[in-house]
Amino acid sequence: ACAPQYSAARRRLGQSGTAPAAAGRAAGRGDDGAGARAAAAGGPRERGGGAELQPGAEPEAAGSAGGAEIKESASQTRDVLKQHFNDLKGTLAKLLDERLVTLLQEVDTIEQETIKPLDDCQKLIEHGVNTAEDLAQEGELAIRGGVGEQNEKLWSFTKKASHIQLDSLPEVPLLVDVPCLSAQLDDSILNIVKDHIFKHGTVASRPPVQIEELIEKPGGIIVRWCKVDDDFTAQDYRLQFRKCTSNHFEDVYVGSETEFIVLHIDPNVDYQFRVCARGDGRQEWSPWSVPQIGHSTLVPHEWTAGFEGYSLSSRRNIALRNDAESSGVLYSSAPTYFCGQTLTFRVETVGQPDRRDSIGVCAEKQNGYDSLQRDQAVCISTNGAVFVNGKEMTNQLPAVTSGSTVTFDIEAVTLGSTNNNEGGNFKLRVTISSNNREVVFDWLLDQSCGSLYFGCSFFYPGWKVLVF
């Protein structure tokens, strides 16, 4: 557990030459940006290096830096609050305007739909009244004329009157049936909005999570973090990183784990890391942790380019067994694995297994072999069999499947001649872990090796392996 006082976690890393065993749960970024999990069962042994949290400064300098940090963070917090609430006011005003327009359109629609029948009725009545007035005037004129003229006008009047229905009127709705528009407005919304506004936003004096540890890996850095607020229940964490020369942080992990291995780290380049958390049942993220700077001094692991039968990623840390014919082992481009480190292979995809398949390390490259199941090499086959100097061990590991992570941890045990008949004068202690199981054995070499090659061989296409 992380100590409540974050200062207790601000220590230089890699001093003891060992790293906590939780690196088996670390995850990294593949070439396609996806996370690649490292599942080493045992604790990886890392060389002390450039990935570190800065040690505590002198009291006077620390006090000055702390005051500056308080002022800077307070200023940034004020700016964030002002910008957020200005944006919120603008959004609320826009939403209210949109709602008003919608309601006014409803009024217009109801008015037009309900008043049209009444307008039609009024027009029909007015037309009938006008027709009756015209007919009455024509009748008066017929009565006033002479006998012959009178008879003709009376005949015309009678004919028109017989075709006009003066006693027919359209049905007029009762006043109670005529729509009467009104606005229904619930004033309680003000209290609801007021309650939400008064509860909206908080000001935290410190983030609930801080970065605890940075551990260098070849081409990567393991980042570990912990809670520093006992009252905060975290549901998810969010990790970001950037080069110190960049102005933009990049999301690299979101999940419930408390560590992650960030790959694609250039050696001897400073990177900044920060983390935040999301409380249980909440949507918003907490404030960011104090950014921490780390770098890796270890050269990234790379496969040898141009080897027939294998396609490599742009960074050459992923090898894919393609459909081309291959009659050999794909080795690393250089002996970049050193004793005391953890070498991790993650199988991204699988093909058809073969007992001659191999993933492992060796003292030197040897052409003419189709597998690492040979002298001066240790490896695991895809069926889980373990080979030491070409001999199969009794103990086995689980078969390799898609998503499996195989790790090698090697330490020097003795130097000089041995007093046995096994041959070799240099002994290494090897731990191979896979799928939460491990085997430990001694590996005898003919001569001392300051660094080792790694390699793989697959007889059928489809196998894809990430190394870090």
Side-chain angles (χ1 to χ4, degrees), residues 38-39 41-42 54 109 117 230 287 300 310 322 362 382 411 444 468:
Q54 301 298 331
T109 301
D230 293 335
Y310 293 86
N322 55 38
C362 58
T382 52
E411 293 179 335
L444 298 179
F468 59 91

Side-chain angles (χ1 to χ4, degrees), residues 245-437:
T245 56
S246 173
N247 295 323
H248 174 68
F249 275 97
E250 176 185 350
D251 279 332
V252 69
Y253 173 74
V254 175
S256 59
E257 298 290 336
T258 56
E259 65 178 53
F260 191 83
I261 179 168
V262 182
L263 297 180
H264 296 175
I265 295 294
D266 296 325
N268 301 311
V269 174
D270 286 337
Y271 290 83
Q272 270 192 336
F273 302 88
R274 66 180 185 180
V275 66
C276 64
R278 180 161 51 198
D280 190 19
R282 304 186 69 89
Q283 296 296 323
E284 71 277 7
W285 291 100
S286 73
W288 290 104
S289 66
V290 177
Q292 299 296 339
I293 297 176
H295 67 269
S296 176
T297 60
L298 304 178
V299 177
H301 294 317
E302 294 182 358
W303 300 102
T304 299
F307 190 78
E308 188 176 4
Y310 293 86
S311 303
L312 304 185
S313 62
S314 59
R315 286 183 175 258
R316 300 179 182 177
N317 59 344
I318 299 178
L320 171 65
R321 179 68 170 89
N322 55 38
D323 295 330
E325 292 291 334
S326 176
S327 59
V329 177
L330 174 64
Y331 291 102
S332 58
S333 60
T336 53
Y337 175 71
F338 295 87
C339 292
Q341 296 180 1
T342 295
L343 179 65
T344 304
F345 300 93
R346 175 174 170 83
V347 179
E348 303 287 345
T349 60
V350 299
Q352 180 180 337
D354 188 282
R355 66 175 305 276
R356 297 168 294 177
D357 295 338
S358 62
I359 303 173
V361 297
C362 58
E364 59 185 12
K365 294 182 179 180
Q366 292 186 11
N367 297 323
Y369 290 90
D370 58 7
S371 174
L372 285 174
Q373 299 173 17
R374 60 168 175 82
D375 190 34
Q376 303 295 290
V378 293
C379 67
I380 177 176
S381 180
T382 52
N383 62 6
V386 177
F387 291 84
V388 182
N389 288 337
K391 297 180 181 179
E392 184 175 354
M393 294 185 60
T394 303
N395 295 331
Q396 281 195 331
L397 292 171
V400 176
T401 59
S402 180
S404 292
T405 300
V406 181
T407 62
F408 287 76
D409 291 285
I410 302 179
E411 293 179 335
V413 178
T414 61
L415 297 174
S417 300
T418 58
N419 297 321
N420 54 45
N421 297 323
E422 294 176 318
N425 58 4
F426 187 70
K427 182 186 293 186
L428 300 176
R429 180 70 43 81
V430 181
T431 302
I432 305 179
S433 304
S434 178
N435 294 331
N436 297 320
R437 289 184 59 185

Side-chain angles (χ1 to χ4, degrees), residues 65-385:
E69 180 178 322
I70 292 174
K71 291 182 179 179
E72 182 181 357
S73 62
S75 176
Q76 291 177 350
T77 301
R78 291 188 190 97
D79 293 340
V80 169
L81 289 172
K82 292 177 182 178
Q83 183 64 44
H84 174 76
F85 277 86
N86 284 334
D87 293 343
L88 194 61
K89 285 191 291 185
T91 302
L92 288 175
K94 181 180 179 181
L95 292 174
L96 289 173
D97 290 341
E98 290 177 353
R99 181 56 180 167
L100 175 60
V101 170
T102 299
L103 292 175
L104 292 177
Q105 289 176 345
E106 289 185 16
V107 172
D108 295 341
T109 301
I110 295 174
E111 180 185 25
Q112 293 173 4
E113 291 178 350
T114 56
I115 204 171
K116 186 177 185 302
L118 295 177
D119 288 342
D120 294 343
C121 180
Q122 182 178 352
K123 291 178 181 179
L124 187 59
I125 292 175
E126 291 176 351
H127 175 72
V129 170
N130 293 333
T131 301
E133 290 179 349
D134 293 341
L135 188 62
Q137 291 178 0
E138 187 175 345
E140 292 178 357
L141 293 175
I143 294 173
R144 294 174 186 172
V147 176
E149 182 182 359
Q150 186 179 45
N151 291 336
E152 184 178 350
K153 289 182 177 180
L154 286 175
W155 181 82
S156 176
F157 169 80
T158 304
K159 183 178 180 181
K160 288 182 180 180
S162 62
H163 287 85
I164 298 176
Q165 295 180 350
L166 298 178
D167 59 348
S168 176
L169 292 175
E171 182 179 0
V172 179
L174 299 176
L175 188 59
V176 295
D177 296 331
V178 176
C180 180
L181 278 68
S182 63
Q184 307 298 315
L185 302 173
D186 187 1
D187 292 338
S188 65
I189 189 176
L190 297 177
N191 294 326
I192 296 174
V193 172
K194 184 188 298 182
D195 291 340
H196 281 283
I197 290 177
F198 285 165
K199 294 177 182 178
H200 180 68
T202 58
V203 176
S205 60
R206 65 172 184 172
V209 60
Q210 294 284 6
I211 291 177
E212 178 186 19
E213 197 171 21
L214 301 174
I215 301 173
E216 67 175 350
K217 292 277 289 181
I221 294 178
I222 295 177
V223 185
R224 293 197 179 116
W225 55 89
C226 65
K227 288 197 310 173
V228 293
D229 185 351
D230 293 335
D231 297 328
F232 183 83
T233 302
Q235 174 180 308
D236 290 308
Y237 298 99
R238 180 183 178 189
L239 176 66
Q240 290 188 337
F241 86 119
R242 71 178 180 184
K243 287 185 178 181
C244 287
T245 56
S246 173
N247 295 323
H248 174 68
F249 275 97
E250 176 185 350
D251 279 332
V252 69
Y253 173 74
V254 175
S256 59
E257 298 290 336
T258 56
E259 65 178 53
F260 191 83
I261 179 168
V262 182
L263 297 180
H264 296 175
I265 295 294
D266 296 325
N268 301 311
V269 174
D270 286 337
Y271 290 83
Q272 270 192 336
F273 302 88
R274 66 180 185 180
V275 66
C276 64
R278 180 161 51 198
D280 190 19
R282 304 186 69 89
Q283 296 296 323
E284 71 277 7
W285 291 100
S286 73
W288 290 104
S289 66
V290 177
Q292 299 296 339
I293 297 176
H295 67 269
S296 176
T297 60
L298 304 178
V299 177
H301 294 317
E302 294 182 358
W303 300 102
T304 299
F307 190 78
E308 188 176 4
Y310 293 86
S311 303
L312 304 185
S313 62
S314 59
R315 286 183 175 258
R316 300 179 182 177
N317 59 344
I318 299 178
L320 171 65
R321 179 68 170 89
N322 55 38
D323 295 330
E325 292 291 334
S326 176
S327 59
V329 177
L330 174 64
Y331 291 102
S332 58
S333 60
T336 53
Y337 175 71
F338 295 87
C339 292
Q341 296 180 1
T342 295
L343 179 65
T344 304
F345 300 93
R346 175 174 170 83
V347 179
E348 303 287 345
T349 60
V350 299
Q352 180 180 337
D354 188 282
R355 66 175 305 276
R356 297 168 294 177
D357 295 338
S358 62
I359 303 173
V361 297
C362 58
E364 59 185 12
K365 294 182 179 180
Q366 292 186 11
N367 297 323
Y369 290 90
D370 58 7
S371 174
L372 285 174
Q373 299 173 17
R374 60 168 175 82
D375 190 34
Q376 303 295 290
V378 293
C379 67
I380 177 176
S381 180
T382 52
N383 62 6

